[in-house]
Each structure stands twice: as C-alpha cells, then as structure tokens.
C-alpha cells in the first residue's frame, strides 16, 4: 500500500525508502527499508525480527507524526504486542489501514481501538460467517484440561503456536500452576521481548538444541509449528501435540493436520468482530484485503455499504506492483 | 453442510439439557409427520436449544450423514448376545423400517421371536469369490451356474395382498420399480423371491447409469420408466405358502420358484422372470462362459451348490462368484493421500491419470492392490517427488505407471475425464513403462466402443 502524498508505504513487500509497519509478523515487516515507523510497544519484537540496527522510528499509540504534510498516527490493533492500525490524514480526509487485528481482550497487547475514518482498509483472514470464536475462557479451560489429562497419563503436552504473538498469548492464558512450562528457542527470545516491554509472562524454561533425552513429563512445551518430526521434539519422549489456530474451528482442518488436538485460538477478528469493527469506523468506503475478501465485500454491499476488494498480496512479489496507488494522492 | 449450518447459526439462546432419548423420540422422530413449514419451525426451535457440537450431530441426523465407525455385524452380534437370541433374529428385526424408540428397542431384544411384520425381508445370502479349482467343486451337475449381474440385489415380498421390494442396502425400494410391483400382484400370497433388478430392454442389459436413474430418486416418472425399463431376475425362493423354506435345498426352492412364476401373465413375465440360463454342461464350458460373460452384459458367473440351504451372509462353499477378468489400463500416479493419523502415516491412497491431448487427466482413485513393500516404496517416491501439498494429499512428479483393473467402465458426463470406472484396483506396478507409454482416454473410449458393440452384436 502506497501513500502518494506522503511518499511512504504501509507493510511493503520489498525494500522501500519510507515504510510504516503495522506489526512484526514477517509477511508485514520485511527487512531492508530506508526507515520504518513502528510502535514503541513493538520496538523490541521488531528488532528481534529485523535486526538490532534496523532504522526504526517509534511512535506511541495516538502520537502523530507529519510526513510531507500527511499526518500519520498509529492506534492499537489488538493483534500482537505492538500491532497497530495506521491512520493517515491529508487535507481533512482520513484513511485507516487496519493491519491484522482482533477486538477481543488479549493480556499481551494493547486492546483494539476503533478509529473514525472516511476510508477503512480491513483484513478479512476469517471473513466467513462460519468463523465465530468460542469464548477464550472456554478454550483455555479446554487447553488446561488437555494439559492435566496428559500429565496424568505421563506424557508431555506440546503446544504448537506461531512464535510471535500466539505463543505469548497461550503462555498468558494457560494455568501456569498445573506444571512447568518449557519453550523452544524461537519462542523464548520473543517471550523475553514481551517481558522487557512490560508484559507479564509465566516462568518459562528454555530447551536448546542438542543433548539427550529430557525429563519433562507433565510439562507444557510451547514451540513453533515446525518442530514435529525434529530431533528437538523427539527428546521429550511421549508427547501430545496441539495446534493453536482459528482454522482449528473447522473439523476438516483439524483432521487434516496431523496433530492430536486443535484449539481455535486466533489473533484475527472473527466474522462478528469484523462487522462490528467496520461499523465502528463510520467509514464511507470499506476496502477488504486478505482471506475471504469477496464474501465480506458482498455481504457489506448487500447491507448498502460501499465495499471493495483490495487486490493486494503481502506475500508475493508479482502482486506488489499492482497495489501501489490506493491511498489518497495530492489531487484527490 | 451440517457443520457449516452448525457454525453459522447464532449462539443458542437457552441451551437445554435434554437426554438423547428425549431428543430422538420427542423431537426428531415426529419431524417425519410434519409438513415442510412446521418441520422448519421445529428444526429452528431445536437449534435454539442446542450448542454448536450438538447442532452438528442434530444436523447430521437430519441429513442422514451421521456415521459411527462400527461394523453393522458387530452391532448385530452384540445385541444378539444381550438379548439372548441368535444374530439372525436381530438382523431380521433390524432389517426394514423401524424407529429408534424404547418400544422398538424392547421389541428388538424380546426373546419371543414370533415376529409378524408383514414387510420384513430375510437376510441375504452372499457369495464368496472363487478361490479354488473348478475340479475341486466336484460334479458339475451338482451346481447351478448363473450369470453374475451388476444390478440391484433385491427381495420381492408378497404377503397379505401387499408387495414390498427391498434392496440389499435394507432400503424399501418398491416405489422405484412400479412395473415390478405391478407384476408381483399376480403372485400367490406368502412368497418371498430373491433376485436382481437390472435396467433391461429388448433382451439386453442397459448401462448401470440407467439403473441409477431409478434408484436415485423418490418418484419414478413415466418418462424414466419408458427410457430406463427394468426387469427383476428371480433366482431364489425363500418363502412359499407363508412358510420359511430357506432350509430346503436350492434345487427344490428353484422348482417351487418356477411354479410360482407360472402364475404370471405374459406382461408380468416380461418384468419378473427367471434369468437367462448359462449354456455349459462341463467345467470347461463354464470357464469358457466366464470368458464371454461381458458380451452377455454380465460381470462373470455365479456357482451355487444345488443341495445347499439358503444361508445368511457371506458363506464359503455354497455360493461362489467368479468374475471375468477385468479391463486393464496403464495409468500414471498423479496424487497420493496418506493414511489418517499423523504425518508419519504412509501414502496409501492414489489417484491415477491417463493422457488426453498431452495432458494427464485424473480418472481413478484406489488404494487396493499393492504389497506392503510396494506401498513403502511408493511412499518414499511420493515424499521425494512432491510437487504440491494440500493437507494429506500430495501431487507428485508423473513418473510411476501402474496397471489398473476395473469391474466396469462407463461414459459419464459428471466426471472430468468423461468416464466413470467401477472398483478400480492396482494389478501391478509397470516398472517397465515410462509415463509417456501410459494409456490415453481415447484408448479407453475405444475399449468402451468395442464393449458396447460386442454387446449389441450379441443381442
């Protein structure tokens, strides 16, 4: 996404001179930009991902910076620590790019704040009406029960979750009194970042690569989804694995994964959250990107909204050229 | 669909804690009697009281897609053990139309086996694939040799002035075959005939698709009856003069069957008749008939011991099925799917393709026919030659060629390849063949033409 008036990009997929980054997941935060505006809350995790010397400029939530006459500010998106919606104002016209977001409470990051705007660019990763997350309490009760059952059966519980964001949310959500919690190196480094930023995390113990059989029966292991089949995981002996993802709401998706359990814990807005978030912006135009954008666009149109699909891809190079000029330029 | 609906519905307002029995007897079964509008409000009311998981089960029950992975026979045996009756009695009581009510359950388990349900069929006897020499069967004249048809195995029941046609899937299909039911009106009362329904016109078997048109719908129109006429080939008599005669020999049952069929007029006999015979007086003749079964529209032969009583289920020794050698096609492995469970499960289910205009078109999926060693070898190939992965399915470099056999091949507009194959299985791994040497759709088309021609030539 390119803002012509301010000559900067939001979450560009290739190196640019000036970027605003919504959050530190790798499909949004690529290395190599001339300078990048990020939130102060997110600085440490951004540095873990982009390198200590990455040229970051930090903003507090709600703080405004002026870039070539365009007022830019960042507002909590509730997705992961330091995630932001980008508010762009030029000559009285306000655009908000949501980045990835959720509106349900998450103790590991600042809660989502609706921002009034004329044009709202929303993600729609789970933009289908089948996606409505069960209450987090219920899901975490299930996770705790699964952990206890494994403990009684004498096996180790392995949570597979994205190293940044999901892993920390799981750590904050589980009942740490059940047993010891062990982390994989990819998770532990980011847990440290969270702690340094002031997010409370339970006690964790790092298990590094190499070495022999470990005695962690009854523990909860938090690791990235890539570990099944590796020697790192084999060292724990008998394990029960669980994958944490919004996709796990669907039986077919649970079955296709080769994990013992799947818990529907998502850092993205579900269908109801998307609709509520869109309504709260008061936007005249809604641009939908990522995921099931066509379904959400169609639904919004049927409700009389001016909604459009934003053809963009944060993931493929080929698509990056086509998406540049959608933010207001100086003539609009 | 049941899951999508369960997920889409707004959360339940007042989740109710009713026992399953109450849901089934008071909410589910009465739905049948309601008109569409009342049904809808009853279903919506149920949804309002159910949580997401319960809705999924409810929806699956409604749509007839609720499955439990337990073999039917195991359930039958368990119930029989609990009730202290023979499995046959339980099977008998489980066949046909029943509702899951406490009353039915007590009937199911009652020790008094004097059941009177007028529509109740007998359990079918099934054949075992022939796995022994013909000579070991002894005297040819002690055996009845018949064509093995590929139709709908069925029982025709005529009791108390009513007619019932049951398929082997325990489905009452009387309405799908009105001409058979009409023919049965002239039968004497108290008979049950075992046979096979085929789409049949002018002395020739029509395609299985014609039969499907009859089976696949609730009401059969005059147009469908005209375009896809059927015949009931009667090959056994299980009940005569209201008495169970299954204990009698096949020879005497067949004699009675001919007598019973004598009661029909010419019109009735066109729809309900003994099947055409197989002309084979020696075992050599029998083997020769098996080779040309396809030209008769049959898939092989049935060998039935004339002195055998009518048994329940698949029994060795009394009935043998001896299918003709199948059509075979050399095809290329295109996709592989791993077994259920974790990612270490081997890739055991394969999708095969043949050529069309330089592209490989998938047309058959099977997992049957490889040895464990071959499965392990294919598994290694799949993992090392993956092009794309979709969940448990991988597309692979098209390199391996297998010879596949089929029970049948038919044209089909519903399949991308334009053909539908029945019961494909792997005959052998053609390590000697390169993928370019695999068959093409046009080869299969030519096979179909030859097959169809040979059949119309015979008639």
């Amino acid at each position: 996404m390119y803002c012509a008036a301010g000559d900067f990009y939001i979450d560009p997929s290739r190196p640019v001179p000036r970027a605003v980054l919504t959050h530190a997941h790798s499909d949004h935060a690529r290395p190599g930009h001339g300078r990048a505006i990020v939130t102060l809350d997110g600085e440490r995790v951004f540095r873990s991902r982009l390198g200590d010397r990455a040229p970051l400029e930090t903003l507090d939530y709600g703080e405004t910076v002026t870039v070539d006459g365009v007022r830019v500010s960042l507002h909590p998106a509730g997705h992961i620590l330091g995630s932001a919606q980008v508010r762009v104002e030029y000559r009285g016209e306000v655009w908000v790019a949501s980045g990835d977001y959720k509106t349900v409470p998450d103790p590991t990051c600042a809660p989502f704040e609706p921002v009034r705007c004329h044009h709202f660019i929303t993600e729609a990763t789970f933009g289908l009406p089948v996606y409505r997350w069960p209450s987090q309490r219920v899901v975490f009760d299930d996770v705790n029960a699964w952990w206890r059952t494994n403990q009684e059966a004498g096996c180790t519980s392995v949570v597979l979750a994205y190293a940044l964001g999901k892993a920390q949310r799981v750590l904050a959500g589980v009942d740490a009194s059940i047993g010891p919690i062990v982390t994989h190196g990819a998770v532990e480094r980011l847990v440290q970042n969270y702690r340094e930023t002031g997010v409370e995390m339970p006690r964790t113990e790092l298990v590094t690569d190499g070495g022999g059989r470990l005695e962690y029966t009854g523990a909860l292991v938090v690791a990235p989804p890539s570990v099944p089949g590796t020697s790192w995981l084999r060292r724990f002996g008998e394990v029960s694995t669980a994958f944490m993802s919004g996709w796990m709401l669907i039986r077919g998706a649970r079955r296709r994964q080769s994990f013992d359990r799947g818990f529907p814990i998502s850092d993205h807005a579900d269908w109801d959250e998307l609709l509520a978030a869109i309504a709260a912006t008061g936007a005249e135009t809604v641009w939908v990107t990522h995921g099931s954008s066509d379904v959400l666009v169609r639904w919004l149109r049927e409700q009389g909204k001016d909604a459009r699909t934003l053809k963009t891809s944060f993931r493929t190079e080929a698509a990056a050229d086509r998406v540049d000029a959608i933010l207001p330029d100086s003539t609009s | 669909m049941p899951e999508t609906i369960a997920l889409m519905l707004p959360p339940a307002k007042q989740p109710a804690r009713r026992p399953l029995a109450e849901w089934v007897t008071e909410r589910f079964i009465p739905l049948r009697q309601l008109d569409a509008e009342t049904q809808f409000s009853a279903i919506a009311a149920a949804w309002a009281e159910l949580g997401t998981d319960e809705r999924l089960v409810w929806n699956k029950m409604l749509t007839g897609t609720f499955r439990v992975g337990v073999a039917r026979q195991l359930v039958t045996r368990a119930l029989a053990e609990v009730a202290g009756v023979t499995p046959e009695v339980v099977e008998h009581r489980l066949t046909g139309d029943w509702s899951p009510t406490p009353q039915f359950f007590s009937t199911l388990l009652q020790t008094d086996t004097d059941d009177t349900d007028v529509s109740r069929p007998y359990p079918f006897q099934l054949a075992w694939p022939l796995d022994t020499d013909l000579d070991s069967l002894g005297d040819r004249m002690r055996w009845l040799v018949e064509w093995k048809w590929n139709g709908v195995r069925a029982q025709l029941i005529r009791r108390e002035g009513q007619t019932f046609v049951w398929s082997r899937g325990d489905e009452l299909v009387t309405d799908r075959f009105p001409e058979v039911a009409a023919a049965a009106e002239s039968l004497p009362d108290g008979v049950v005939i075992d046979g096979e329904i085929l789409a049949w016109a002018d002395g020739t078997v029509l395609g299985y698709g014609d039969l499907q048109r009859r089976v696949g719908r609730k009401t059969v129109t005059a147009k469908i009856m005209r375009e896809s006429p059927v015949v009931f080939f009667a090959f056994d008599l299980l009940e005569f003069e209201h008495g169970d005669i299954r204990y009698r020999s096949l020879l005497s049952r067949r004699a009675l069957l001919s007598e019973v069929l004598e009661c029909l007029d010419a019109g009735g006999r066109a729809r309900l008749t003994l099947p055409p015979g197989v002309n084979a007086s020696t075992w050599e003749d029998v083997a020769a008939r098996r080779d040309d079964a396809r030209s008769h529209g049959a898939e092989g032969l049935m060998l039935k011991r004339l002195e055998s009583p009518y048994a329940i289920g698949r029994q060795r020794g009394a009935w043998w099925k001896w299918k003709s050698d199948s059509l075979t096609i050399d095809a290329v492995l295109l996709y592989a799917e791993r077994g259920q469970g974790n990612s270490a499960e081997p890739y055991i289910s394969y999708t095969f393709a043949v050529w069309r205009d330089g592209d490989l078109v998938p047309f058959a999926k099977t997992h049957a026919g490889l040895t464990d060693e071959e499965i392990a070898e294919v598994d290694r190939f799949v993992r090392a030659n993956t092009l794309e992965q979709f969940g448990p399915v991988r597309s692979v470099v098209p390199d391996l060629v297998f010879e596949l056999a089929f029970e049948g091949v038919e044209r089909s507009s519903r399949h991308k390849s334009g053909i539908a194959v029945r019961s494909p299985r792997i005959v052998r791994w053609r390590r000697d063949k390169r993928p370019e040497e695999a068959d093409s759709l046009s080869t299969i088309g030519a096979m179909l033409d030859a097959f169809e021609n040979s059949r119309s030539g015979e008639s």
Side-chain angles (χ1 to χ4, degrees), chain B residues 14-34:
Chain B
Q14 280 187 315
R17 299 227 165 270
R18 298 176 195 282
L20 179 62
E22 190 179 325
W23 276 110
V24 172
T25 53
E26 280 167 40
R27 308 296 290 274
F28 189 75
I29 296 170
L31 287 175
R32 281 192 208 174
Q33 323 296 339
L34 306 177

Side-chain angles (χ1 to χ4, degrees), chain A residues 128-132 228 249-252 254-259 272, chain B residues 3-4 7-11 56 60 338 340-343 390-392:
Chain A
L128 289 175
V130 290
Y131 291 110
R132 281 201 319 257
L249 193 68
I250 306 297
R251 288 171 77 236
R254 285 201 298 273
R255 276 206 304 264
R256 276 195 291 278
Q257 299 288 345
S258 45
F259 308 124
D272 292 341
Chain B
E3 186 183 11
T4 306
L7 290 169
M8 295 259 310
L9 291 167
L56 174 66
K60 277 182 169 280
R338 70 165 180 256
Q340 284 208 351
N342 65 35
S343 52
F390 329 88

Side-chain angles (χ1 to χ4, degrees), chain B residues 189-420:
Chain B
D189 208 64
V191 301
V192 175
I193 300 173
D194 183 13
E196 185 110 358
I197 300 174
L198 292 171
W200 182 269
D202 307 324
T204 314
V205 183
L206 305 177
Y208 195 72
D210 279 293
L211 196 56
Q212 287 292 21
R213 292 182 71 196
R214 302 294 292 269
V215 176
R217 64 192 72 211
K218 278 232 153 61
T219 50
V220 173
T221 62
K223 181 168 177 277
I224 292 173
M225 282 175 63
R226 203 165 49 242
E227 289 172 0
S228 305
V230 296
V231 66
F232 186 108
F233 281 149
F235 49 60
D236 214 325
L237 188 68
L238 313 185
E239 187 174 301
F240 180 63
E241 293 176 340
H242 302 283
D244 180 354
I245 59 161
R246 291 177 296 165
Y247 67 92
R248 292 202 185 187
S249 70
L250 174 59
L251 189 64
S252 88
R253 297 196 314 269
R254 281 292 284 240
L256 286 173
L257 176 63
S258 304
E259 213 173 282
V260 163
L261 295 175
E262 288 292 308
C263 304
L264 302 178
D265 58 18
R269 250 174 266 165
R271 294 294 155 220
L272 175 56
T273 176
L274 291 171
V278 177
N279 188 4
S281 52
T282 66
W283 284 127
E284 287 74 41
D285 294 343
V286 171
R289 291 291 81 75
R290 175 202 177 227
D291 289 338
D292 59 30
R294 278 184 198 289
S295 63
H296 292 265
E299 51 181 22
L301 295 176
M302 295 291 300
L303 314 177
K304 297 176 179 174
R305 193 184 286 276
L306 282 166
E307 64 229 40
S308 64
Y310 190 92
I312 288 173
R314 209 175 292 283
Q315 307 278 348
R316 281 180 60 91
W319 287 16
W320 298 105
K321 57 181 173 188
W322 196 27
K323 291 191 182 181
S324 307
D325 288 331
S326 317
L327 306 164
T328 67
I329 290 165
D330 291 334
V332 183
L333 177 67
L334 209 55
Y335 301 99
E337 183 174 346
R338 70 165 180 256
Q340 284 208 351
N342 65 35
S343 52
E345 287 287 315
Y347 283 81
I348 49 162
S349 178
Y350 315 112
T351 300
F352 295 97
V354 286
W355 294 100
R356 178 172 63 196
D357 305 330
D359 289 324
L360 282 168
V361 185
F363 77 108
K365 188 177 175 189
T366 181
H367 56 263
L370 287 184
T371 65
D372 288 351
E373 290 74 26
E374 285 171 327
I375 287 172
E377 200 177 338
V378 173
D379 184 59
R380 281 195 295 279
F381 170 86
V382 168
R383 288 171 198 271
N385 293 278
T386 301
L387 295 175
E388 279 180 287
Q389 186 164 6
F390 329 88
V393 179
R394 294 182 185 213
S395 67
V396 298
V397 178
D399 195 39
L400 305 187
V401 180
F402 293 84
E403 183 178 333
L404 307 183
F406 310 92
E407 296 300 332
V409 181
E410 287 189 7
R411 293 180 210 286
S412 162
S413 54
R414 290 191 298 116
H415 293 75
K416 194 170 151 191
S417 57
I419 54 165

Side-chain angles (χ1 to χ4, degrees), chain B residues 108-122:
Chain B
L108 182 65
L109 297 186
Q110 77 189 13
T111 40
D112 172 10
T113 56
D114 185 21
D115 294 306
T116 55
D117 190 337
V118 64
S119 78
R120 187 156 289 155
Y122 295 91

Side-chain angles (χ1 to χ4, degrees), chain A residues 117-128:
Chain A
C117 58
H118 300 102
H119 308 277
F120 185 50
I121 303 166
T122 180
E123 64 131 329
T125 307
F126 291 100
L128 289 175

Side-chain angles (χ1 to χ4, degrees), chain A residues 20-99:
Chain A
V20 178
L21 304 181
T22 61
H23 63 284
H25 278 148
S26 59
D27 50 342
H28 294 259
R30 305 282 171 111
H33 305 307
R35 57 187 260 238
I37 296 177
V38 303
T39 62
L40 187 58
D41 272 7
E43 183 177 6
R44 285 188 176 82
V45 291
F46 272 109
R47 291 213 181 280
S48 275
R49 284 295 165 95
L50 303 177
D52 283 339
R53 309 171 65 134
L56 301 183
E57 270 174 51
T58 56
L59 285 182
D60 261 327
Y61 285 124
E63 186 187 343
T64 302
V65 67
T66 305
V67 183
D68 289 355
V70 177
R71 290 163 58 81
V72 176
S73 55
L74 302 177
H75 304 267
H79 177 57
I80 61 168
L81 178 61
S83 65
Q85 309 175 72
V86 183
R87 182 183 184 277
V88 176
E89 180 182 347
Y90 185 69
R91 293 184 180 165
E93 197 172 1
V94 178
W95 288 70
V96 169
S98 74

